[in-house]
Amino acid sequence: MALMTLKEQLRADLTTAMKARDEVRSSTLRMVLTAITNAEVAGKEARELSDDDVIGVLTSEAKKRREAATAFAEGGRQESAEKEKAEAAVIADYLPAQLSEAEVAELVTAAITQVGAAGEGMRAMGKVMGVVQPQVKGRADGGVVAAEVRRQLGA
């Protein structure tokens, strides 16, 4: 039997969550599947998203939840913050394992060496990010990567 695509897995898990009456998981998976569908019909023509594309959608959905959780927590709305965190945790189950700070630092160091950016400072930021981003796609937050690149380039 062929392996399920990530989207099929999400649909199957939604059915399971609904049967189990798991409200958080089923509502989160519904929202994620809607975001995937929206991404599929966006642009000039409808298309089926690849697993990589779906991971991109999941990554941005998870990021929205983390940012909302932070905003709610800062605004003293703990219950809403917890809901967003719970949704982010459900989404994280479908994302590749996240890289540690040390792993991100290692990739950035290698990229700086690869593009010969040592000593160029911030002018090299774009070049270095261009090399690192595809390597960390879905496995590290862009802001974390950019901060590490800035730190290593000495800005």
Side-chain angles (χ1 to χ4, degrees):
M1 191 183 133
L3 288 171
M4 275 203 257
T5 64
L6 188 50
K7 187 172 151 188
E8 290 165 344
Q9 181 68 54
L10 289 162
R11 281 208 182 105
D13 290 354
L14 171 58
T15 306
T16 306
M18 286 164 52
K19 286 178 183 164
R21 291 190 164 42
D22 183 337
E23 291 300 319
V24 173
R25 185 167 281 275
S26 43
S27 71
T28 304
L29 292 176
R30 254 192 220 103
M31 282 187 286
V32 165
L33 284 163
T34 301
I36 291 168
T37 304
N38 290 343
E40 287 179 334
V41 298
K44 288 188 171 46
E45 54 190 65
R47 64 192 176 93
E48 188 77 18
L49 295 184
S50 69
D51 277 0
D52 272 356
D53 294 332
V54 171
I55 285 173
V57 171
L58 289 172
T59 302
S60 77
E61 289 297 310
K63 183 177 182 186
K64 284 180 199 168
R65 300 300 179 290
R66 286 194 306 273
E67 289 171 350
T70 303
F72 282 134
E74 287 170 358
R77 295 181 52 198
Q78 211 46 49
E79 197 175 296
S80 297
E82 292 307 318
K83 180 178 178 282
E84 295 290 338
K85 282 182 188 156
E87 290 177 2
V90 169
I91 297 169
D93 290 346
Y94 299 93
L95 289 170
Q98 296 296 294
L99 296 170
S100 69
E101 284 181 31
E103 290 168 317
V104 171
E106 224 170 85
L107 287 169
V108 170
T109 303
I112 289 173
T113 306
Q114 185 186 330
V115 300
E120 279 190 38
M122 286 313 290
R123 287 187 318 236
M125 175 111 185
K127 270 195 282 192
V128 176
M129 287 296 287
V131 171
V132 177
Q133 280 303 85
Q135 297 174 343
V136 301
K137 187 174 186 202
R139 299 188 307 149
D141 183 83
V144 172
V145 176
E148 181 59 29
V149 170
R150 276 195 287 279
R151 190 185 70 73
Q152 289 196 28
L153 288 175

